[in-house]
Short mmCIF file of all heavy atoms in Angstrom, two decimals:
data_model
loop_
_atom_site.label_atom_id
_atom_site.label_comp_id
_atom_site.label_asym_id
_atom_site.label_seq_id
_atom_site.Cartn_x
_atom_site.Cartn_y
_atom_site.Cartn_z
N MET A 1156 -23.77 -7.04 -25.07
CA MET A 1156 -23.06 -6.94 -23.80
C MET A 1156 -22.53 -8.32 -23.42
O MET A 1156 -23.28 -9.30 -23.37
CB MET A 1156 -24.04 -6.45 -22.72
CG MET A 1156 -23.47 -6.44 -21.30
SD MET A 1156 -22.65 -4.90 -20.89
CE MET A 1156 -21.93 -5.35 -19.31
N ILE A 1157 -21.27 -8.37 -23.15
CA ILE A 1157 -20.65 -9.62 -22.75
C ILE A 1157 -20.33 -9.55 -21.26
O ILE A 1157 -19.67 -8.62 -20.81
CB ILE A 1157 -19.34 -9.89 -23.53
CG1 ILE A 1157 -19.62 -9.86 -25.04
CG2 ILE A 1157 -18.72 -11.22 -23.10
CD1 ILE A 1157 -18.36 -9.90 -25.88
N ALA A 1158 -20.86 -10.49 -20.51
CA ALA A 1158 -20.57 -10.52 -19.08
C ALA A 1158 -19.18 -11.11 -18.85
O ALA A 1158 -18.88 -12.19 -19.32
CB ALA A 1158 -21.62 -11.37 -18.37
N VAL A 1159 -18.38 -10.37 -18.14
CA VAL A 1159 -17.02 -10.83 -17.86
C VAL A 1159 -16.77 -10.78 -16.37
O VAL A 1159 -17.09 -9.80 -15.71
CB VAL A 1159 -15.98 -9.92 -18.56
CG1 VAL A 1159 -14.56 -10.34 -18.19
CG2 VAL A 1159 -16.17 -9.98 -20.08
N ASP A 1160 -16.23 -11.85 -15.86
CA ASP A 1160 -15.82 -11.88 -14.46
C ASP A 1160 -14.55 -11.04 -14.31
O ASP A 1160 -13.50 -11.42 -14.81
CB ASP A 1160 -15.57 -13.33 -14.05
CG ASP A 1160 -15.23 -13.43 -12.57
OD1 ASP A 1160 -15.02 -12.38 -11.92
OD2 ASP A 1160 -15.19 -14.54 -12.06
N ALA A 1161 -14.68 -9.92 -13.67
CA ALA A 1161 -13.56 -8.98 -13.60
C ALA A 1161 -12.62 -9.25 -12.42
O ALA A 1161 -11.63 -8.55 -12.27
CB ALA A 1161 -14.09 -7.55 -13.51
N ARG A 1162 -12.94 -10.26 -11.62
CA ARG A 1162 -12.06 -10.53 -10.48
C ARG A 1162 -10.66 -10.90 -10.94
O ARG A 1162 -10.49 -11.66 -11.89
CB ARG A 1162 -12.63 -11.68 -9.64
CG ARG A 1162 -13.82 -11.25 -8.79
CD ARG A 1162 -14.38 -12.44 -8.03
NE ARG A 1162 -14.88 -13.46 -8.94
CZ ARG A 1162 -15.39 -14.62 -8.55
NH1 ARG A 1162 -15.47 -14.92 -7.30
NH2 ARG A 1162 -15.82 -15.49 -9.45
N ASN A 1163 -9.68 -10.38 -10.27
CA ASN A 1163 -8.27 -10.68 -10.52
C ASN A 1163 -7.73 -10.12 -11.83
O ASN A 1163 -6.57 -10.36 -12.17
CB ASN A 1163 -8.01 -12.19 -10.51
CG ASN A 1163 -8.19 -12.78 -9.13
OD1 ASN A 1163 -7.93 -12.12 -8.12
ND2 ASN A 1163 -8.63 -14.01 -9.07
N THR A 1164 -8.53 -9.38 -12.57
CA THR A 1164 -8.04 -8.89 -13.85
C THR A 1164 -6.85 -7.96 -13.69
O THR A 1164 -6.00 -7.88 -14.56
CB THR A 1164 -9.13 -8.16 -14.65
OG1 THR A 1164 -9.72 -7.19 -13.83
CG2 THR A 1164 -10.15 -9.13 -15.18
N SER A 1165 -6.79 -7.26 -12.56
CA SER A 1165 -5.69 -6.31 -12.39
C SER A 1165 -4.48 -6.94 -11.70
O SER A 1165 -3.48 -6.27 -11.48
CB SER A 1165 -6.17 -5.09 -11.59
OG SER A 1165 -6.52 -5.46 -10.28
N ARG A 1166 -4.58 -8.23 -11.40
CA ARG A 1166 -3.42 -8.89 -10.78
C ARG A 1166 -3.06 -10.20 -11.46
O ARG A 1166 -2.38 -11.04 -10.90
CB ARG A 1166 -3.64 -9.08 -9.29
CG ARG A 1166 -4.94 -9.73 -8.91
CD ARG A 1166 -5.09 -9.73 -7.40
NE ARG A 1166 -6.39 -10.27 -7.01
CZ ARG A 1166 -6.79 -10.41 -5.75
NH1 ARG A 1166 -6.00 -10.06 -4.78
NH2 ARG A 1166 -7.97 -10.90 -5.47
N THR A 1167 -3.57 -10.36 -12.68
CA THR A 1167 -3.23 -11.52 -13.50
C THR A 1167 -2.22 -11.11 -14.57
O THR A 1167 -2.44 -10.14 -15.29
CB THR A 1167 -4.49 -12.07 -14.19
OG1 THR A 1167 -5.46 -12.42 -13.21
CG2 THR A 1167 -4.15 -13.29 -15.04
N CYS A 1168 -1.13 -11.85 -14.67
CA CYS A 1168 -0.11 -11.53 -15.67
C CYS A 1168 -0.72 -11.74 -17.06
O CYS A 1168 -1.19 -12.83 -17.38
CB CYS A 1168 1.10 -12.44 -15.46
SG CYS A 1168 2.53 -12.01 -16.46
N PRO A 1169 -0.79 -10.67 -17.88
CA PRO A 1169 -1.55 -10.73 -19.13
C PRO A 1169 -0.88 -11.54 -20.24
O PRO A 1169 0.15 -11.14 -20.78
CB PRO A 1169 -1.68 -9.25 -19.53
CG PRO A 1169 -0.46 -8.62 -18.95
CD PRO A 1169 -0.17 -9.36 -17.67
N LEU A 1170 -1.49 -12.65 -20.59
CA LEU A 1170 -1.01 -13.45 -21.71
C LEU A 1170 -0.99 -12.62 -22.99
O LEU A 1170 -0.12 -12.80 -23.84
CB LEU A 1170 -1.91 -14.68 -21.90
CG LEU A 1170 -1.91 -15.69 -20.74
CD1 LEU A 1170 -3.03 -16.71 -20.95
CD2 LEU A 1170 -0.58 -16.38 -20.61
N ALA A 1171 -1.95 -11.71 -23.09
CA ALA A 1171 -2.06 -10.88 -24.29
C ALA A 1171 -0.88 -9.94 -24.47
O ALA A 1171 -0.64 -9.44 -25.56
CB ALA A 1171 -3.37 -10.08 -24.24
N ALA A 1172 -0.14 -9.70 -23.39
CA ALA A 1172 1.03 -8.82 -23.48
C ALA A 1172 2.32 -9.62 -23.36
O ALA A 1172 3.37 -9.07 -23.07
CB ALA A 1172 0.96 -7.76 -22.39
N GLY A 1173 2.23 -10.93 -23.57
CA GLY A 1173 3.42 -11.76 -23.51
C GLY A 1173 3.74 -12.28 -22.13
O GLY A 1173 4.81 -12.82 -21.88
N GLY A 1174 2.76 -12.12 -21.21
CA GLY A 1174 2.96 -12.58 -19.84
C GLY A 1174 2.68 -14.07 -19.68
O GLY A 1174 2.45 -14.78 -20.65
N CYS A 1175 2.68 -14.52 -18.42
CA CYS A 1175 2.60 -15.96 -18.13
C CYS A 1175 1.26 -16.39 -17.55
O CYS A 1175 1.03 -17.59 -17.36
CB CYS A 1175 3.73 -16.33 -17.17
SG CYS A 1175 3.55 -15.56 -15.54
N GLY A 1176 0.36 -15.46 -17.25
CA GLY A 1176 -0.93 -15.83 -16.71
C GLY A 1176 -0.95 -16.05 -15.21
O GLY A 1176 -1.98 -16.41 -14.64
N HIS A 1177 0.18 -15.83 -14.56
CA HIS A 1177 0.27 -16.02 -13.11
C HIS A 1177 -0.61 -15.02 -12.38
O HIS A 1177 -0.64 -13.84 -12.71
CB HIS A 1177 1.74 -15.85 -12.70
CG HIS A 1177 1.98 -16.09 -11.24
ND1 HIS A 1177 1.79 -17.31 -10.64
CD2 HIS A 1177 2.42 -15.26 -10.25
CE1 HIS A 1177 2.09 -17.22 -9.36
NE2 HIS A 1177 2.48 -16.00 -9.08
N ILE A 1178 -1.36 -15.51 -11.38
CA ILE A 1178 -2.25 -14.64 -10.61
C ILE A 1178 -1.70 -14.50 -9.19
O ILE A 1178 -1.54 -15.50 -8.49
CB ILE A 1178 -3.68 -15.21 -10.55
CG1 ILE A 1178 -4.24 -15.37 -11.96
CG2 ILE A 1178 -4.57 -14.29 -9.70
CD1 ILE A 1178 -5.59 -16.09 -11.97
N ALA A 1179 -1.40 -13.28 -8.78
CA ALA A 1179 -0.95 -13.03 -7.42
C ALA A 1179 -1.19 -11.57 -7.08
O ALA A 1179 -0.97 -10.68 -7.91
CB ALA A 1179 0.54 -13.34 -7.28
N LYS A 1180 -1.66 -11.34 -5.86
CA LYS A 1180 -1.89 -9.94 -5.48
C LYS A 1180 -0.57 -9.18 -5.44
O LYS A 1180 -0.53 -7.97 -5.60
CB LYS A 1180 -2.62 -9.84 -4.14
CG LYS A 1180 -1.85 -10.31 -2.93
CD LYS A 1180 -2.73 -10.14 -1.68
CE LYS A 1180 -1.94 -10.36 -0.39
NZ LYS A 1180 -1.36 -11.71 -0.27
N GLU A 1181 0.54 -9.91 -5.24
CA GLU A 1181 1.86 -9.27 -5.22
C GLU A 1181 2.26 -8.73 -6.59
O GLU A 1181 3.21 -7.95 -6.71
CB GLU A 1181 2.92 -10.26 -4.74
CG GLU A 1181 2.83 -10.60 -3.26
CD GLU A 1181 1.75 -11.63 -2.98
OE1 GLU A 1181 1.23 -12.25 -3.94
OE2 GLU A 1181 1.40 -11.82 -1.80
N ASN A 1182 1.56 -9.18 -7.65
CA ASN A 1182 1.86 -8.67 -8.99
C ASN A 1182 1.52 -7.18 -9.09
O ASN A 1182 2.11 -6.47 -9.91
CB ASN A 1182 1.04 -9.42 -10.05
CG ASN A 1182 1.59 -10.82 -10.30
OD1 ASN A 1182 2.63 -11.19 -9.82
ND2 ASN A 1182 0.84 -11.59 -11.07
N ARG A 1183 0.55 -6.77 -8.29
CA ARG A 1183 0.11 -5.38 -8.33
C ARG A 1183 0.95 -4.58 -7.33
O ARG A 1183 0.64 -4.53 -6.15
CB ARG A 1183 -1.38 -5.32 -7.98
CG ARG A 1183 -1.99 -3.95 -8.15
CD ARG A 1183 -2.09 -3.56 -9.61
NE ARG A 1183 -2.74 -2.28 -9.78
CZ ARG A 1183 -4.05 -2.13 -9.91
NH1 ARG A 1183 -4.86 -3.15 -9.88
NH2 ARG A 1183 -4.57 -0.93 -10.06
N VAL A 1184 2.01 -3.99 -7.85
CA VAL A 1184 2.97 -3.30 -6.99
C VAL A 1184 2.36 -2.05 -6.38
O VAL A 1184 2.42 -1.83 -5.17
CB VAL A 1184 4.23 -2.92 -7.78
CG1 VAL A 1184 5.27 -2.29 -6.86
CG2 VAL A 1184 4.82 -4.16 -8.46
N THR A 1185 1.79 -1.22 -7.22
CA THR A 1185 1.11 0.00 -6.78
C THR A 1185 -0.19 0.12 -7.56
O THR A 1185 -0.50 -0.70 -8.42
CB THR A 1185 1.97 1.26 -7.05
OG1 THR A 1185 2.09 1.44 -8.46
CG2 THR A 1185 3.35 1.12 -6.43
N GLN A 1186 -0.94 1.17 -7.28
CA GLN A 1186 -2.19 1.40 -8.00
C GLN A 1186 -1.94 1.50 -9.50
O GLN A 1186 -2.75 1.09 -10.32
CB GLN A 1186 -2.85 2.70 -7.50
CG GLN A 1186 -4.22 2.98 -8.08
CD GLN A 1186 -5.26 1.96 -7.61
OE1 GLN A 1186 -5.10 1.34 -6.56
NE2 GLN A 1186 -6.31 1.78 -8.39
N ALA A 1187 -0.77 2.04 -9.87
CA ALA A 1187 -0.51 2.33 -11.28
C ALA A 1187 0.41 1.32 -11.96
O ALA A 1187 0.49 1.28 -13.19
CB ALA A 1187 0.09 3.73 -11.42
N LYS A 1188 1.11 0.50 -11.16
CA LYS A 1188 2.13 -0.35 -11.75
C LYS A 1188 1.88 -1.84 -11.51
O LYS A 1188 1.57 -2.26 -10.40
CB LYS A 1188 3.51 0.02 -11.19
CG LYS A 1188 4.65 -0.77 -11.81
CD LYS A 1188 5.98 -0.42 -11.14
CE LYS A 1188 7.11 -1.26 -11.72
NZ LYS A 1188 8.38 -1.05 -10.99
N PHE A 1189 2.05 -2.63 -12.57
CA PHE A 1189 1.96 -4.08 -12.48
C PHE A 1189 3.35 -4.65 -12.75
O PHE A 1189 4.02 -4.27 -13.70
CB PHE A 1189 0.98 -4.60 -13.54
CG PHE A 1189 0.87 -6.10 -13.59
CD1 PHE A 1189 -0.15 -6.76 -12.92
CD2 PHE A 1189 1.80 -6.85 -14.30
CE1 PHE A 1189 -0.24 -8.14 -12.97
CE2 PHE A 1189 1.70 -8.23 -14.35
CZ PHE A 1189 0.69 -8.88 -13.68
N GLU A 1190 3.78 -5.58 -11.90
CA GLU A 1190 5.04 -6.29 -12.15
C GLU A 1190 4.87 -7.73 -11.71
O GLU A 1190 4.67 -8.02 -10.53
CB GLU A 1190 6.21 -5.63 -11.40
CG GLU A 1190 7.53 -6.32 -11.71
CD GLU A 1190 8.74 -5.57 -11.13
OE1 GLU A 1190 8.55 -4.50 -10.53
OE2 GLU A 1190 9.85 -6.09 -11.29
N CYS A 1191 4.93 -8.65 -12.67
CA CYS A 1191 4.70 -10.06 -12.36
C CYS A 1191 5.85 -10.62 -11.52
O CYS A 1191 7.02 -10.50 -11.88
CB CYS A 1191 4.57 -10.85 -13.66
SG CYS A 1191 4.27 -12.60 -13.38
N VAL A 1192 5.49 -11.28 -10.40
CA VAL A 1192 6.51 -11.84 -9.51
C VAL A 1192 7.12 -13.12 -10.09
O VAL A 1192 8.14 -13.60 -9.63
CB VAL A 1192 5.94 -12.13 -8.11
CG1 VAL A 1192 5.52 -10.83 -7.42
CG2 VAL A 1192 4.78 -13.11 -8.18
N LYS A 1193 6.46 -13.68 -11.11
CA LYS A 1193 6.92 -14.94 -11.68
C LYS A 1193 7.82 -14.74 -12.90
O LYS A 1193 8.92 -15.26 -12.98
CB LYS A 1193 5.73 -15.83 -12.03
CG LYS A 1193 6.12 -17.23 -12.45
CD LYS A 1193 4.88 -18.11 -12.58
CE LYS A 1193 5.27 -19.52 -12.98
NZ LYS A 1193 4.09 -20.39 -13.16
N CYS A 1194 7.33 -13.94 -13.88
CA CYS A 1194 8.09 -13.77 -15.12
C CYS A 1194 8.73 -12.40 -15.26
O CYS A 1194 9.53 -12.18 -16.17
CB CYS A 1194 7.21 -14.07 -16.33
SG CYS A 1194 5.99 -12.79 -16.70
N GLY A 1195 8.37 -11.46 -14.36
CA GLY A 1195 9.02 -10.16 -14.38
C GLY A 1195 8.43 -9.16 -15.34
O GLY A 1195 8.97 -8.07 -15.52
N LEU A 1196 7.32 -9.50 -16.00
CA LEU A 1196 6.68 -8.56 -16.91
C LEU A 1196 6.27 -7.29 -16.17
O LEU A 1196 5.68 -7.35 -15.11
CB LEU A 1196 5.43 -9.21 -17.53
CG LEU A 1196 4.68 -8.31 -18.51
CD1 LEU A 1196 5.27 -8.46 -19.90
CD2 LEU A 1196 3.21 -8.61 -18.53
N VAL A 1197 6.62 -6.14 -16.73
CA VAL A 1197 6.24 -4.86 -16.14
C VAL A 1197 5.31 -4.14 -17.12
O VAL A 1197 5.62 -4.05 -18.31
CB VAL A 1197 7.47 -3.98 -15.86
CG1 VAL A 1197 7.04 -2.61 -15.34
CG2 VAL A 1197 8.38 -4.66 -14.85
N GLU A 1198 4.17 -3.68 -16.61
CA GLU A 1198 3.20 -3.02 -17.48
C GLU A 1198 2.37 -2.06 -16.64
O GLU A 1198 2.32 -2.18 -15.41
CB GLU A 1198 2.31 -4.10 -18.13
CG GLU A 1198 1.32 -3.59 -19.14
CD GLU A 1198 1.98 -2.80 -20.26
OE1 GLU A 1198 2.37 -3.42 -21.28
OE2 GLU A 1198 2.11 -1.58 -20.11
N ASN A 1199 1.75 -1.11 -17.32
CA ASN A 1199 0.82 -0.21 -16.65
C ASN A 1199 -0.36 -1.02 -16.11
O ASN A 1199 -0.93 -1.85 -16.83
CB ASN A 1199 0.35 0.84 -17.65
CG ASN A 1199 -0.66 1.81 -17.02
OD1 ASN A 1199 -1.82 1.47 -16.86
ND2 ASN A 1199 -0.20 2.98 -16.67
N ALA A 1200 -0.73 -0.81 -14.86
CA ALA A 1200 -1.77 -1.62 -14.22
C ALA A 1200 -3.12 -1.50 -14.93
O ALA A 1200 -3.86 -2.48 -15.04
CB ALA A 1200 -1.90 -1.22 -12.75
N ASP A 1201 -3.44 -0.33 -15.42
CA ASP A 1201 -4.69 -0.16 -16.14
C ASP A 1201 -4.69 -0.94 -17.45
O ASP A 1201 -5.69 -1.53 -17.85
CB ASP A 1201 -4.93 1.33 -16.44
CG ASP A 1201 -5.25 2.12 -15.19
OD1 ASP A 1201 -5.73 1.52 -14.22
OD2 ASP A 1201 -5.01 3.33 -15.20
N THR A 1202 -3.54 -0.95 -18.11
CA THR A 1202 -3.40 -1.70 -19.36
C THR A 1202 -3.58 -3.19 -19.10
O THR A 1202 -4.26 -3.89 -19.85
CB THR A 1202 -2.01 -1.45 -19.98
OG1 THR A 1202 -1.86 -0.05 -20.22
CG2 THR A 1202 -1.84 -2.21 -21.29
N VAL A 1203 -2.96 -3.67 -18.03
CA VAL A 1203 -3.09 -5.08 -17.66
C VAL A 1203 -4.54 -5.46 -17.42
O VAL A 1203 -5.03 -6.47 -17.93
CB VAL A 1203 -2.24 -5.38 -16.40
CG1 VAL A 1203 -2.58 -6.75 -15.83
CG2 VAL A 1203 -0.76 -5.31 -16.75
N GLY A 1204 -5.25 -4.62 -16.66
CA GLY A 1204 -6.65 -4.91 -16.38
C GLY A 1204 -7.48 -4.96 -17.65
O GLY A 1204 -8.30 -5.86 -17.85
N ALA A 1205 -7.25 -4.00 -18.54
CA ALA A 1205 -7.99 -3.94 -19.79
C ALA A 1205 -7.70 -5.15 -20.68
O ALA A 1205 -8.62 -5.75 -21.26
CB ALA A 1205 -7.65 -2.65 -20.54
N LEU A 1206 -6.44 -5.52 -20.77
CA LEU A 1206 -6.06 -6.68 -21.59
C LEU A 1206 -6.69 -7.96 -21.06
O LEU A 1206 -7.20 -8.78 -21.83
CB LEU A 1206 -4.54 -6.83 -21.60
CG LEU A 1206 -3.76 -5.84 -22.46
CD1 LEU A 1206 -2.26 -5.99 -22.21
CD2 LEU A 1206 -4.06 -6.06 -23.94
N ASN A 1207 -6.69 -8.11 -19.74
CA ASN A 1207 -7.26 -9.33 -19.17
C ASN A 1207 -8.76 -9.40 -19.34
O ASN A 1207 -9.32 -10.47 -19.56
CB ASN A 1207 -6.86 -9.43 -17.70
CG ASN A 1207 -5.41 -9.86 -17.53
OD1 ASN A 1207 -4.90 -10.64 -18.32
ND2 ASN A 1207 -4.75 -9.34 -16.51
N VAL A 1208 -9.43 -8.25 -19.26
CA VAL A 1208 -10.88 -8.23 -19.48
C VAL A 1208 -11.18 -8.61 -20.92
O VAL A 1208 -12.07 -9.42 -21.21
CB VAL A 1208 -11.47 -6.84 -19.15
CG1 VAL A 1208 -12.89 -6.72 -19.68
CG2 VAL A 1208 -11.45 -6.60 -17.65
N LEU A 1209 -10.42 -8.04 -21.86
CA LEU A 1209 -10.63 -8.36 -23.28
C LEU A 1209 -10.38 -9.84 -23.54
O LEU A 1209 -11.12 -10.50 -24.27
CB LEU A 1209 -9.68 -7.52 -24.15
CG LEU A 1209 -10.04 -6.04 -24.27
CD1 LEU A 1209 -8.93 -5.30 -25.00
CD2 LEU A 1209 -11.36 -5.85 -25.00
N GLN A 1210 -9.34 -10.36 -22.92
CA GLN A 1210 -9.00 -11.77 -23.13
C GLN A 1210 -10.12 -12.67 -22.61
O GLN A 1210 -10.53 -13.63 -23.27
CB GLN A 1210 -7.69 -12.10 -22.42
CG GLN A 1210 -7.31 -13.56 -22.53
CD GLN A 1210 -5.87 -13.74 -22.97
OE1 GLN A 1210 -5.03 -12.91 -22.69
NE2 GLN A 1210 -5.59 -14.81 -23.65
N ARG A 1211 -10.65 -12.35 -21.44
CA ARG A 1211 -11.73 -13.16 -20.86
C ARG A 1211 -13.00 -13.05 -21.70
O ARG A 1211 -13.81 -13.97 -21.70
CB ARG A 1211 -12.00 -12.71 -19.44
CG ARG A 1211 -10.86 -13.09 -18.51
CD ARG A 1211 -11.17 -12.72 -17.08
NE ARG A 1211 -10.00 -12.96 -16.24
CZ ARG A 1211 -10.06 -13.12 -14.93
NH1 ARG A 1211 -11.21 -13.06 -14.32
NH2 ARG A 1211 -8.97 -13.33 -14.24
N ALA A 1212 -13.18 -11.92 -22.36
CA ALA A 1212 -14.36 -11.74 -23.20
C ALA A 1212 -14.21 -12.45 -24.55
O ALA A 1212 -15.12 -12.49 -25.35
CB ALA A 1212 -14.62 -10.25 -23.43
N GLY A 1213 -13.00 -13.00 -24.78
CA GLY A 1213 -12.77 -13.72 -26.02
C GLY A 1213 -12.45 -12.83 -27.20
O GLY A 1213 -12.52 -13.24 -28.33
N LEU A 1214 -12.07 -11.58 -26.89
CA LEU A 1214 -11.80 -10.63 -27.95
C LEU A 1214 -10.33 -10.66 -28.39
O LEU A 1214 -9.97 -10.05 -29.37
CB LEU A 1214 -12.18 -9.22 -27.50
CG LEU A 1214 -13.66 -9.06 -27.12
CD1 LEU A 1214 -13.93 -7.63 -26.65
CD2 LEU A 1214 -14.56 -9.40 -28.30
N LEU A 1215 -9.52 -11.36 -27.61
CA LEU A 1215 -8.11 -11.52 -27.97
C LEU A 1215 -7.82 -13.01 -28.12
O LEU A 1215 -8.29 -13.81 -27.33
CB LEU A 1215 -7.20 -10.94 -26.90
CG LEU A 1215 -7.28 -9.43 -26.67
CD1 LEU A 1215 -6.43 -9.04 -25.48
CD2 LEU A 1215 -6.82 -8.69 -27.91
N LEU A 1216 -7.06 -13.35 -29.13
CA LEU A 1216 -6.72 -14.75 -29.33
C LEU A 1216 -5.21 -14.93 -29.21
O LEU A 1216 -4.45 -14.03 -29.49
CB LEU A 1216 -7.18 -15.22 -30.71
CG LEU A 1216 -8.68 -15.21 -30.91
CD1 LEU A 1216 -9.03 -15.59 -32.34
CD2 LEU A 1216 -9.35 -16.20 -29.96
ZN1 ZN B 2782 4.10 -13.32 -15.56
#
């Protein structure tokens, strides 16, 4: 079990998906949609959260 700080995972622009890593609550447009206010990356919000958790756990390089 890897402990991961899950805070901000759903509002951080996912580097793993080609994003910029920008953190802003405005990135989370709706419950289902993520759109980065800085680089414009659009992704499913659940996917963004999952990618960021994996990245923090060191499972993505
Ligand atoms: Zn971004």
Side-chain angles (χ1 to χ4, degrees):
M1156 174 89 188
I1157 304 171
V1159 176
D1160 184 350
R1162 284 178 298 178
N1163 292 328
T1164 51
S1165 65
R1166 50 186 176 179
T1167 302
C1168 189
L1170 295 170
C1175 66
H1177 183 64
I1178 301 173
K1180 68 180 190 300
E1181 289 80 12
N1182 285 352
R1183 187 70 177 271
V1184 184
T1185 66
Q1186 186 68 24
K1188 183 184 178 186
F1189 177 97
E1190 183 172 358
C1191 181
V1192 295
K1193 188 172 181 182
C1194 74
L1196 180 87
V1197 176
E1198 185 56 90
N1199 179 282
D1201 290 335
T1202 301
V1203 168
L1206 285 172
N1207 284 325
V1208 167
L1209 288 173
Q1210 177 131 30
R1211 290 183 186 201
L1214 301 178
L1215 296 174
L1216 295 176

